[in-house]
Amino acid sequence: ESTSVDDNCYIDSVAITDIATGFKQVFNNSKIEIRTGSQPSSADLAPTGTLLVTITLNGDSGTGLVFDDPSNGTVGKPSGAVWSGTAVATGTAGWFRLCHMNDSGAQSTTEERIDGSVAISGADLNMSSTNIVVGSVHVINQFNISIS
């Protein structure tokens, strides 16, 4: 016989802050890859689609993204940081992967990754246009991950 719980679980603010701080520690010095097509069914899988643009700090291929200290369970892009990248291919953005600068790109259950959808609205990452043209510069102005 199985038992199910229909009540909500609640996490106290100390635990939320600790989890958000852990996120910042894990994903500092990371990159965001924006790709064509649909995201894989798991972030453990190798990426699919064409790599359109890699977002880094100041568009520098060797400098990973940084995150603000958590506030109320939210970790985000610092307001003064420039997250940008130059497109290496032309296509329609469909999904993104947040991963370490040295991510292998292979199937892995040990590399930290987060995948999300890309669209003009209603996605995990909303862009003013999903049409990416090789050589164009793309900037992410706002990026927040909320832990609640």
Side-chain angles (χ1 to χ4, degrees), residues 26-27 43-47 97-114:
V26 167
F27 285 104
D44 291 338
L45 297 174
R97 173 166 284 174
L98 173 65
C99 59
H100 288 279
M101 291 292 289
N102 62 352
D103 186 276
S104 70
Q107 182 170 331
S108 174
T109 57
T110 59
E111 293 183 287
E112 293 95 353
R113 302 168 173 162
I114 295 176

Side-chain angles (χ1 to χ4, degrees), residues 65-85:
L65 302 174
V66 294
F67 288 87
D68 265 336
D69 289 331
S71 175
N72 299 317
T74 298
V75 180
K77 173 192 165 295
S79 60
V82 176
W83 289 13
S84 65

Side-chain angles (χ1 to χ4, degrees), residues 13-66:
S13 60
V14 173
I16 288 174
T17 299
D18 288 347
I19 293 167
T21 299
F23 174 91
K24 176 186 175 182
Q25 292 170 349
V26 167
F27 285 104
N28 262 338
N29 197 36
S30 60
K31 62 185 175 182
I32 296 174
E33 296 180 343
I34 300 175
R35 296 178 165 271
T36 62
S38 300
Q39 69 193 67
S41 60
S42 167
D44 291 338
L45 297 174
T48 57
T50 301
L51 175 63
L52 297 172
V53 60
T54 300
I55 304 295
T56 58
L57 187 62
N58 299 317
D60 179 352
S61 62
T63 307
L65 302 174
V66 294

